[in-house]
Amino acid sequence: MVTAMPAPPLSPWTWDEAGVLEVVLESGVLEGATALEVLNGENTAALVGPGGTAEVVQFRDGADLGGGRYRMTGLLRGRRGTEDQIPARDTGDLFVLLDDALRFQAATSEITATRHHRAPTI
């Protein structure tokens, strides 16, 4: 759950170095990543509001505050076409880490293959 929400960034296409996002995790841990790793998809999460709308965010730095609380900085907001959801985010939103378990891996020989996937609701 989101406990502290930063103000909307000046631009969703640049690093938000001033914003701080704080969350409480029910399980798991958060770790920082290099800027290149983040740009390649690491540390991606969804902030899901009460109506089910979500903003996809990424973070570079994650600090453990204890008791399952984490502070994230070096934010990229409104990822994957969700920049219109930035103003709708607030404390109390759900925080869902989108890790490797949710990524589809395929061989290069499968690039043109047609696949049908059913996504679970968040």
Side-chain angles (χ1 to χ4, degrees):
M1 178 173 54
V2 176
T3 59
M5 193 73 197
L10 296 176
S11 169
W13 297 285
T14 60
W15 292 95
D16 180 0
E17 299 294 352
V20 174
L21 177 65
E22 290 187 10
V23 300
V24 175
L25 297 181
E26 290 183 16
S27 64
V29 296
L30 298 179
E31 297 178 352
T34 67
L36 182 59
E37 289 170 331
V38 172
L39 292 173
N40 283 319
E42 291 298 316
N43 290 353
T44 302
L47 306 178
V48 185
T53 60
E55 174 195 354
V56 177
V57 299
Q58 289 180 277
F59 62 94
R60 189 182 55 236
D61 305 308
D64 186 350
L65 303 176
R69 294 178 50 238
Y70 288 86
R71 176 178 295 131
M72 290 161 283
T73 55
L75 304 173
L76 289 173
R77 306 273 314 268
R79 306 300 281 169
R80 301 282 201 173
T82 62
E83 62 273 2
D84 63 322
Q85 294 299 314
I86 293 173
R89 302 288 53 93
D90 202 357
T91 57
D93 285 357
L94 295 178
F95 176 85
V96 180
L97 187 62
L98 304 175
D99 61 12
D100 288 335
L102 298 174
R103 293 191 187 136
F104 177 72
Q105 302 293 323
T108 43
S109 62
E110 298 179 90
I111 289 175
T112 60
T114 300
R115 301 249 185 248
H116 299 279
H117 301 277
R118 183 180 309 190
T121 58
I122 297 177

